[in-house]
Amino acid sequence: MAVIRSVIRGVGAYLPKRILTNAELAKTVDTTDEWIVERTGIRARHIAADGEYTSDLGAHAARQALVRAGIDPVEIDLVICATATPDRTFPATAVRIQNMLGVTKGAAFDVQAVCSGFVYAMATADAFLRTGQFKRAIVIGAETFSRILDWEDRTTCVLFGDGAGAVVLEAQPQTGGRNDRGILSTTIRSDGRYEDLLYVDGGPSTTKTVGHLRMNGREVFRHAVQKISGVIEETLVTTGYAANEIDLFVPHQANKRILDGIAKKLGIPENRIVVTLAEHGNTSAASIPLALNHAFERHLLGEGKLVLMESMGGGFTWGAVLARW
Ligand code: UT7
């Protein structure tokens, strides 16, 4: 039976020029390169320049994705930006990016699910494309977490960084069979009981300030392994694929030990997991498209590859997307 699927036509990414290494951070907070590498796998993070905003990062990534897709911005009718660090409280960063790209039709809006933002945004775009409301979407994950970090808190400031990634999706008829290209399944979940384990202690309605990121790292770690493994298993059961049929796992990049824990639990070979966090730390909603871009540039994402993306973040929110490239 013919179905409409959201086929990934292009991917792009952008990292700000300034690189902040662990050794540099160790000069300002009580930490060491050894501690950060051993506990997280992170070696450096990128920091946006003064006057460089989330929308700038997102627009760079989106432009690259559009060029690679061979799609003109005038053909895009949906722009979704996943971000927890918008340029302004409103309007949506997606609307600014829409304007920067020269997209003038359809709709643009932000999705806020912190580190799960890209998975949520992909699920949202896919739902719109499959119902025929829009034809071509650009889905962006863009963050400037450097602006919400408490740079005196060594338990959080060493973990995060700035960056952006984007994909172009196009609604295309497919057969409905196992070899279909495009997004094959999306699963999004949240549980607000865990709000206080990872949050920002400010906001327009509470403190009238932006606030700083606060996290109970140990607890988040424990939940991350459980919840991500759970949603991967759920995706495999509902789609009928076995873990060894997945060509590439493209996870949210929070901590190398979390990725190792999931791989061990589900028996996923290490060489099928894309790991980029050494280079840029946890970039929240940007981390999955940054990792997709990394894989694409290393020719790991040829047509027909089966790709599983997954994430977990503040809220808690978590989810997974299975797609055939
Ligand atoms: O993207 C959203 C999801 N976020 C995550 O998935 C993050 C999940 N959590 C983690 O990645 C880890 O829990 C952390 C990397 C945040 C922390 O690693 P951990 O192995 O859980 O360490 P810990 O919090 O249990 O702390 C161990 C020790 C503590 O000292 P004491 O109490 O044992 O004396 C910390 O104070 O390490 C200390 N510590 C540090 N030492 C040097 C914490 N941060 C640092 C630091 N440098 N930057």
Short mmCIF file of all heavy atoms in Angstrom, two decimals, residues 30-32 35-36 39-40 115 154-155 158-160 198 215 217-218 220-221 224 252 254-255 257-258 282 312-313, ligand 1:
data_model
loop_
_atom_site.label_atom_id
_atom_site.label_comp_id
_atom_site.label_asym_id
_atom_site.label_seq_id
_atom_site.Cartn_x
_atom_site.Cartn_y
_atom_site.Cartn_z
N ASP A 30 37.69 24.27 39.41
CA ASP A 30 38.48 23.20 40.03
C ASP A 30 38.18 21.87 39.34
O ASP A 30 37.35 21.08 39.79
CB ASP A 30 38.10 23.14 41.52
CG ASP A 30 38.91 22.10 42.27
OD1 ASP A 30 39.94 21.64 41.71
OD2 ASP A 30 38.52 21.73 43.39
N THR A 31 38.84 21.66 38.20
CA THR A 31 38.65 20.42 37.45
C THR A 31 39.95 20.08 36.73
O THR A 31 40.91 20.86 36.78
CB THR A 31 37.49 20.56 36.45
OG1 THR A 31 37.18 19.28 35.91
CG2 THR A 31 37.82 21.51 35.29
N THR A 32 39.97 18.92 36.09
CA THR A 32 41.16 18.53 35.31
C THR A 32 40.72 17.89 34.00
O THR A 32 39.60 17.36 33.90
CB THR A 32 42.00 17.47 36.06
OG1 THR A 32 41.16 16.33 36.28
CG2 THR A 32 42.55 17.99 37.38
N TRP A 35 39.82 14.24 34.65
CA TRP A 35 38.50 13.97 35.23
C TRP A 35 37.43 14.05 34.14
O TRP A 35 36.59 13.16 34.01
CB TRP A 35 38.17 14.96 36.35
CG TRP A 35 36.93 14.55 37.13
CD1 TRP A 35 36.89 13.83 38.30
CD2 TRP A 35 35.56 14.80 36.78
NE1 TRP A 35 35.58 13.62 38.69
CE2 TRP A 35 34.75 14.21 37.76
CE3 TRP A 35 34.94 15.45 35.73
CZ2 TRP A 35 33.34 14.25 37.74
CZ3 TRP A 35 33.53 15.49 35.69
CH2 TRP A 35 32.76 14.90 36.69
N ILE A 36 37.48 15.11 33.34
CA ILE A 36 36.43 15.32 32.33
C ILE A 36 36.46 14.19 31.29
O ILE A 36 35.42 13.62 30.94
CB ILE A 36 36.56 16.70 31.65
CG1 ILE A 36 36.50 17.82 32.70
CG2 ILE A 36 35.44 16.90 30.62
CD1 ILE A 36 36.83 19.22 32.15
N ARG A 39 35.33 10.76 32.99
CA ARG A 39 33.91 10.67 33.40
C ARG A 39 32.93 10.93 32.27
O ARG A 39 31.76 10.57 32.38
CB ARG A 39 33.62 11.69 34.51
CG ARG A 39 34.39 11.50 35.79
CD ARG A 39 33.93 10.24 36.50
NE ARG A 39 34.71 10.04 37.70
CZ ARG A 39 34.17 9.92 38.91
NH1 ARG A 39 32.88 9.96 39.08
NH2 ARG A 39 34.96 9.74 39.95
N THR A 40 33.37 11.62 31.19
CA THR A 40 32.41 12.00 30.15
C THR A 40 32.85 11.68 28.72
O THR A 40 32.01 11.53 27.84
CB THR A 40 32.14 13.53 30.18
OG1 THR A 40 33.30 14.22 29.70
CG2 THR A 40 31.80 14.02 31.57
N CYS A 115 17.30 18.41 25.46
CA CYS A 115 18.18 17.52 24.68
C CYS A 115 17.40 16.58 23.77
O CYS A 115 17.97 16.02 22.83
CB CYS A 115 19.08 16.73 25.62
SG CYS A 115 20.16 17.79 26.60
N ARG A 154 31.45 23.56 38.48
CA ARG A 154 32.25 22.57 37.73
C ARG A 154 31.43 21.33 37.38
O ARG A 154 31.81 20.56 36.50
CB ARG A 154 33.49 22.17 38.53
CG ARG A 154 33.18 21.36 39.78
CD ARG A 154 34.43 20.85 40.45
NE ARG A 154 34.08 19.99 41.59
CZ ARG A 154 34.95 19.30 42.28
NH1 ARG A 154 36.23 19.38 41.97
NH2 ARG A 154 34.56 18.54 43.28
N THR A 155 30.32 21.10 38.12
CA THR A 155 29.55 19.88 37.85
C THR A 155 28.72 20.01 36.58
O THR A 155 28.21 19.01 36.07
CB THR A 155 28.62 19.51 39.03
OG1 THR A 155 27.58 20.49 39.12
CG2 THR A 155 29.37 19.45 40.35
N VAL A 158 31.43 22.02 32.54
CA VAL A 158 32.39 21.27 31.71
C VAL A 158 31.67 20.40 30.66
O VAL A 158 32.32 19.84 29.78
CB VAL A 158 33.29 20.36 32.58
CG1 VAL A 158 34.02 21.18 33.65
CG2 VAL A 158 32.50 19.22 33.25
N LEU A 159 30.35 20.29 30.79
CA LEU A 159 29.63 19.29 30.00
C LEU A 159 29.06 19.79 28.67
O LEU A 159 28.90 19.01 27.74
CB LEU A 159 28.46 18.71 30.82
CG LEU A 159 28.82 18.10 32.18
CD1 LEU A 159 27.54 17.72 32.93
CD2 LEU A 159 29.71 16.88 31.99
N PHE A 160 28.72 21.08 28.62
CA PHE A 160 27.90 21.55 27.49
C PHE A 160 28.67 22.47 26.55
O PHE A 160 29.69 23.05 26.93
CB PHE A 160 26.66 22.27 28.04
CG PHE A 160 25.75 21.39 28.83
CD1 PHE A 160 25.94 21.22 30.21
CD2 PHE A 160 24.73 20.69 28.21
CE1 PHE A 160 25.11 20.39 30.95
CE2 PHE A 160 23.89 19.86 28.95
CZ PHE A 160 24.09 19.71 30.32
N LEU A 198 16.91 18.16 36.29
CA LEU A 198 17.64 18.86 35.23
C LEU A 198 16.77 20.01 34.75
O LEU A 198 15.73 19.77 34.14
CB LEU A 198 17.95 17.86 34.08
CG LEU A 198 18.60 18.41 32.81
CD1 LEU A 198 19.82 19.26 33.08
CD2 LEU A 198 18.97 17.26 31.87
N MET A 215 21.70 20.61 37.53
CA MET A 215 21.50 19.18 37.24
C MET A 215 22.00 18.30 38.37
O MET A 215 23.07 18.55 38.93
CB MET A 215 22.24 18.80 35.95
CG MET A 215 22.17 17.31 35.64
SD MET A 215 22.67 16.89 33.95
CE MET A 215 24.42 17.18 34.04
N GLY A 217 23.51 15.24 38.24
CA GLY A 217 24.11 14.42 37.19
C GLY A 217 23.97 12.93 37.40
O GLY A 217 23.65 12.19 36.47
N ARG A 218 24.19 12.50 38.64
CA ARG A 218 24.18 11.06 38.91
C ARG A 218 22.80 10.45 38.62
O ARG A 218 22.69 9.39 38.02
CB ARG A 218 24.57 10.82 40.37
CG ARG A 218 25.32 9.53 40.57
CD ARG A 218 25.79 9.38 41.99
NE ARG A 218 26.87 10.30 42.34
CZ ARG A 218 27.52 10.26 43.49
NH1 ARG A 218 27.18 9.37 44.41
NH2 ARG A 218 28.48 11.11 43.75
N VAL A 220 20.41 11.79 36.70
CA VAL A 220 20.10 11.90 35.27
C VAL A 220 20.78 10.75 34.52
O VAL A 220 20.18 10.12 33.65
CB VAL A 220 20.54 13.27 34.70
CG1 VAL A 220 20.34 13.32 33.19
CG2 VAL A 220 19.77 14.40 35.37
N PHE A 221 22.00 10.47 34.88
CA PHE A 221 22.77 9.39 34.26
C PHE A 221 22.00 8.06 34.37
O PHE A 221 21.82 7.33 33.39
CB PHE A 221 24.12 9.28 34.97
CG PHE A 221 25.09 8.35 34.31
CD1 PHE A 221 26.18 8.85 33.61
CD2 PHE A 221 24.93 6.97 34.38
CE1 PHE A 221 27.08 8.00 32.98
CE2 PHE A 221 25.84 6.11 33.77
CZ PHE A 221 26.91 6.62 33.07
N ALA A 224 18.96 8.06 32.24
CA ALA A 224 19.27 8.13 30.80
C ALA A 224 19.49 6.72 30.24
O ALA A 224 18.91 6.37 29.21
CB ALA A 224 20.51 9.00 30.56
N HIS A 252 21.94 11.03 21.06
CA HIS A 252 22.25 12.31 21.71
C HIS A 252 23.59 12.14 22.42
O HIS A 252 23.85 11.12 23.05
CB HIS A 252 21.15 12.66 22.70
CG HIS A 252 21.50 13.79 23.61
ND1 HIS A 252 21.96 14.98 23.12
CD2 HIS A 252 21.48 13.91 24.96
CE1 HIS A 252 22.21 15.80 24.14
NE2 HIS A 252 21.93 15.16 25.27
N ALA A 254 25.67 13.02 25.30
CA ALA A 254 25.76 13.63 26.63
C ALA A 254 27.00 13.13 27.36
O ALA A 254 27.72 13.91 27.98
CB ALA A 254 24.51 13.32 27.44
N ASN A 255 27.23 11.83 27.29
CA ASN A 255 28.31 11.23 28.07
C ASN A 255 28.68 9.90 27.44
O ASN A 255 27.80 9.06 27.20
CB ASN A 255 27.82 11.02 29.52
CG ASN A 255 28.93 10.56 30.43
OD1 ASN A 255 29.79 9.78 30.05
ND2 ASN A 255 28.93 11.07 31.65
N ARG A 257 30.04 7.43 28.69
CA ARG A 257 29.71 6.28 29.55
C ARG A 257 28.25 5.89 29.40
O ARG A 257 27.90 4.71 29.55
CB ARG A 257 30.04 6.60 31.01
CG ARG A 257 31.55 6.51 31.31
CD ARG A 257 31.93 7.30 32.55
NE ARG A 257 31.09 6.98 33.69
CZ ARG A 257 30.63 7.87 34.58
NH1 ARG A 257 30.96 9.14 34.47
NH2 ARG A 257 29.88 7.48 35.58
N ILE A 258 27.37 6.87 29.12
CA ILE A 258 25.95 6.54 28.89
C ILE A 258 25.85 5.72 27.60
O ILE A 258 25.17 4.68 27.56
CB ILE A 258 25.09 7.83 28.76
CG1 ILE A 258 25.06 8.58 30.10
CG2 ILE A 258 23.66 7.49 28.30
CD1 ILE A 258 24.26 9.88 30.07
N ASN A 282 28.17 18.23 25.11
CA ASN A 282 26.72 18.07 24.98
C ASN A 282 26.15 19.37 24.40
O ASN A 282 26.16 20.40 25.06
CB ASN A 282 26.14 17.77 26.37
CG ASN A 282 24.63 17.54 26.33
OD1 ASN A 282 23.97 17.86 25.36
ND2 ASN A 282 24.11 16.99 27.42
N MET A 312 17.60 11.75 25.42
CA MET A 312 16.92 11.93 26.69
C MET A 312 17.39 13.24 27.29
O MET A 312 18.58 13.59 27.18
CB MET A 312 17.28 10.75 27.60
CG MET A 312 16.51 10.68 28.88
SD MET A 312 17.43 11.55 30.17
CE MET A 312 16.59 11.00 31.62
N GLY A 313 16.48 14.00 27.87
CA GLY A 313 16.88 15.29 28.43
C GLY A 313 15.92 15.81 29.47
O GLY A 313 15.03 15.08 29.95
O1 UT7 B 1 21.79 15.86 28.04
C1 UT7 B 1 20.93 15.65 29.10
C2 UT7 B 1 21.34 14.51 29.85
N1 UT7 B 1 22.49 14.79 30.69
C3 UT7 B 1 23.22 13.78 31.04
O2 UT7 B 1 22.98 12.72 30.55
C4 UT7 B 1 24.30 13.95 32.07
C5 UT7 B 1 24.26 12.76 32.96
N2 UT7 B 1 25.24 12.72 34.00
C6 UT7 B 1 26.57 12.59 33.78
O3 UT7 B 1 27.02 12.59 32.66
C7 UT7 B 1 27.46 12.37 34.98
O4 UT7 B 1 26.66 12.11 36.10
C8 UT7 B 1 28.40 13.55 35.28
C9 UT7 B 1 29.48 13.63 34.21
C10 UT7 B 1 27.62 14.84 35.33
C11 UT7 B 1 29.10 13.34 36.60
O5 UT7 B 1 29.79 12.11 36.63
P1 UT7 B 1 29.63 11.12 37.89
O6 UT7 B 1 30.52 10.00 37.66
O7 UT7 B 1 28.15 10.85 38.03
O8 UT7 B 1 30.20 12.01 39.07
P2 UT7 B 1 29.49 12.48 40.41
O9 UT7 B 1 28.46 13.51 40.11
O10 UT7 B 1 29.08 11.27 41.15
O11 UT7 B 1 30.70 13.18 41.14
C12 UT7 B 1 31.86 12.45 41.56
C13 UT7 B 1 32.84 13.40 42.19
C14 UT7 B 1 32.20 14.35 43.20
O12 UT7 B 1 33.12 14.53 44.25
P3 UT7 B 1 32.90 13.75 45.63
O13 UT7 B 1 31.55 14.17 46.13
O14 UT7 B 1 32.97 12.30 45.27
O15 UT7 B 1 34.06 14.23 46.45
C15 UT7 B 1 32.07 15.64 42.44
O16 UT7 B 1 32.10 16.78 43.27
O17 UT7 B 1 33.40 14.25 41.15
C16 UT7 B 1 33.28 15.62 41.56
N3 UT7 B 1 33.16 16.43 40.36
C17 UT7 B 1 34.21 16.90 39.68
N4 UT7 B 1 35.54 16.78 39.87
C18 UT7 B 1 36.36 17.38 38.97
C19 UT7 B 1 32.01 16.84 39.74
N5 UT7 B 1 32.32 17.57 38.66
C20 UT7 B 1 33.67 17.62 38.60
C21 UT7 B 1 34.58 18.23 37.70
N6 UT7 B 1 35.89 18.07 37.92
N7 UT7 B 1 34.17 18.93 36.63
#
